[in-house]
Amino acid sequence: MAPHNQVLRTKTCEVCGVRKHGENFFLCDGCEVVWYCSNEHQESHRSSHEKLCKTIQDCKQDVREEDDRLQQSHGASVFLPPGTLRDRISTNPAFDNWSITFTIIGFLQQELIDALIQIPTTEAHHVALHHCQTMNLLEPQQVYWTNHLGVMLRLGQEQECYDLLKWSQINNAMAWLQSTVMNTQVEHADPLEMACSYTEGMSASGDFGQLSCLLLLHMRRLNDLMTLKRAAESLPQHLPQELVDMVKTNAVGAPLRGRRDILEREEHSQEMELLKKSMEGIYLFAQQRDPFFWGQFLHPNGKKHPTHNLHAEEVEMSIKFIRPLWEDTPIAFEFIQSLEDKTMKWAS
């Protein structure tokens, strides 16, 4: 994945960092996700870019070839609207092995996603997100949710993450098979409402990627409220209300910017306590499912416990796609470490 603390670039020359202007800017013909302002700069970047560029091209070609075979044999494409594709599957007896076909394409798309997210441009991550969505619509699997959430977080789509997590809470993942769009049924999910209810009713197989993502989002909202409190305390009296509103709006992340009920109040202790309790609940939920998950999440290069293999793929995907985003919010690691220390103390 692109370095967690590196801002994704948008229409910016990969060599000099100049933003796109005029007609000289162009995308790399191979990967189509890296910008250059001149042929000279593209040439100077070739040696460092060509290996990853070739990987992306090869992966895209592999996906296209597998999809072509699907079209030739069954008259369908994984890039058809999902409802159309499902109709063809349900009415075509030749699709007895459709799940195997989609699994193959899913593996190929995963390789493509892995390559794309190494490039710190919004173009690369939007393409990766498109393939995440396709994978989840074709063959919903918990591990596919994790890379989907990770790419959305990297793009700064926190509200969209809440919406998707809310959708997963009220619908079994397999319900996506009957849905033409994954999360249109949930928009503007309330982060504080989710702090009350997300783990309620979750199955014992609740996904580690979803849990670690939501805990990170809760910690960011807790930071928002603490920052909002400090901002309110530091504002001079008699400041024009429009400036007060601007300061408060800029003090919080996107999911809370439209919450006038939050921004106009100075007291948020109840919401902060709610978020803390929810994070503790998420920690315990994951810890009860696998006592070694959080230790592995905190120290991914440490010794692996024998039971790690029970959830190896989930743990690996959570560490790969979600953990790097935690490094922008180090207090989240501190919070989990404090709970791990308490658990060890109780155990002894």
Side-chain angles (χ1 to χ4, degrees), residues 323-340:
R323 189 186 187 281
L325 283 306
W326 278 51
E327 297 186 30
D328 288 326
T329 312
I331 192 173
F333 286 116
E334 297 170 12
F335 179 82
I336 293 298
Q337 187 62 64
S338 69
L339 294 177
E340 285 282 276

Side-chain angles (χ1 to χ4, degrees), residues 275-286:
L275 287 165
K276 290 177 184 178
K277 287 184 177 180
S278 181
M279 290 189 292
E280 290 175 357
I282 291 171
Y283 166 82
L284 289 172
F285 191 93

Side-chain angles (χ1 to χ4, degrees), residues 296-315:
Q296 187 67 30
F297 191 86
L298 290 172
H299 309 289
N301 297 321
K303 181 180 178 181
K304 292 180 174 60
H305 294 271
T307 57
H308 170 72
N309 291 330
L310 294 175
H311 312 106
E313 189 174 18
E314 276 187 53
V315 174

Side-chain angles (χ1 to χ4, degrees), residues 191-207:
L192 300 178
E193 184 273 330
M194 289 186 68
C196 297
S197 62
Y198 184 76
T199 57
E200 294 178 7
M202 283 191 69
S203 68
S205 60
D207 177 64

Side-chain angles (χ1 to χ4, degrees), residues 46-307:
R46 190 177 303 279
S47 60
S48 59
H49 177 60
E50 60 183 351
K51 182 177 180 181
L52 187 54
C53 182
K54 180 67 163 55
T55 299
I56 292 172
Q57 292 181 66
D58 289 346
C59 289
K60 288 166 69 175
Q61 182 63 28
D62 288 343
V63 171
R64 281 194 295 265
E65 289 179 355
E66 192 64 34
D67 189 57
D68 286 344
R69 281 193 282 271
L70 179 63
Q71 291 190 57
Q72 292 170 9
S73 60
H74 297 89
S77 167
V78 297
F79 300 109
L80 281 172
T84 303
L85 179 56
R86 295 295 165 192
D87 289 343
R88 295 195 183 184
I89 291 171
S90 63
T91 58
N92 190 339
F95 266 100
D96 289 342
N97 64 338
W98 67 270
S99 61
I100 297 175
T101 301
F102 290 161
T103 298
I104 293 172
I105 295 178
F107 282 135
L108 296 174
Q109 286 183 301
Q110 184 62 63
E111 291 179 2
L112 176 56
I113 292 166
D114 289 343
L116 284 165
I117 62 177
Q118 294 182 52
I119 297 179
T121 67
T122 56
E123 289 81 8
H125 282 67
H126 277 298
V127 175
L129 182 60
H130 167 75
H131 285 280
C132 288
Q133 292 168 334
T134 303
M135 289 168 64
N136 278 321
L137 285 165
L138 290 173
E139 190 179 10
Q141 293 187 23
Q142 288 178 328
V143 293
Y144 290 166
W145 289 61
T146 303
N147 58 13
H148 193 164
L149 291 165
V151 174
M152 286 199 296
L153 278 175
R154 192 72 177 86
L155 284 165
Q157 298 180 359
E158 291 190 344
Q159 183 59 57
E160 289 82 351
C161 286
Y162 280 119
D163 294 344
L164 186 56
L165 287 165
K166 181 67 175 180
W167 172 240
S168 77
Q169 179 192 20
I170 61 178
N171 295 274
N172 184 283
M174 295 306 290
W176 287 357
L177 294 174
Q178 285 77 46
S179 177
T180 57
V181 180
M182 248 182 295
N183 57 339
T184 52
Q185 289 87 341
V186 175
E187 293 181 350
H188 310 299
D190 184 348
L192 300 178
E193 184 273 330
M194 289 186 68
C196 297
S197 62
Y198 184 76
T199 57
E200 294 178 7
M202 283 191 69
S203 68
S205 60
D207 177 64
F208 290 128
Q210 295 177 52
L211 295 170
S212 57
C213 176
L214 184 59
L215 196 149
L216 173 61
L217 289 169
H218 282 349
M219 181 58 75
R220 290 181 176 179
R221 299 295 75 76
L222 183 62
N223 272 344
D224 284 347
L225 295 177
M226 292 189 293
T227 303
L228 186 61
K229 180 180 179 181
R230 291 192 294 268
E233 292 172 345
S234 64
L235 289 175
Q237 292 183 350
H238 311 301
L239 194 68
Q241 188 60 44
E242 58 267 25
L243 292 180
V244 173
D245 293 342
M246 182 180 69
V247 170
K248 289 185 173 182
T249 299
N250 291 334
V252 300
L256 293 185
R257 284 179 190 155
R259 293 290 301 272
R260 305 312 306 174
D261 60 318
I262 297 293
L263 297 178
E264 292 175 0
R265 281 193 287 113
E266 295 185 3
E267 176 58 45
H268 304 101
S269 58
Q270 184 176 354
E271 289 86 358
M272 293 168 70
E273 188 63 27
L274 179 66
L275 287 165
K276 290 177 184 178
K277 287 184 177 180
S278 181
M279 290 189 292
E280 290 175 357
I282 291 171
Y283 166 82
L284 289 172
F285 191 93
Q287 198 266 348
Q288 289 168 4
R289 186 172 176 229
D290 186 337
F292 304 112
F293 168 69
W294 290 115
Q296 187 67 30
F297 191 86
L298 290 172
H299 309 289
N301 297 321
K303 181 180 178 181
K304 292 180 174 60
H305 294 271
T307 57

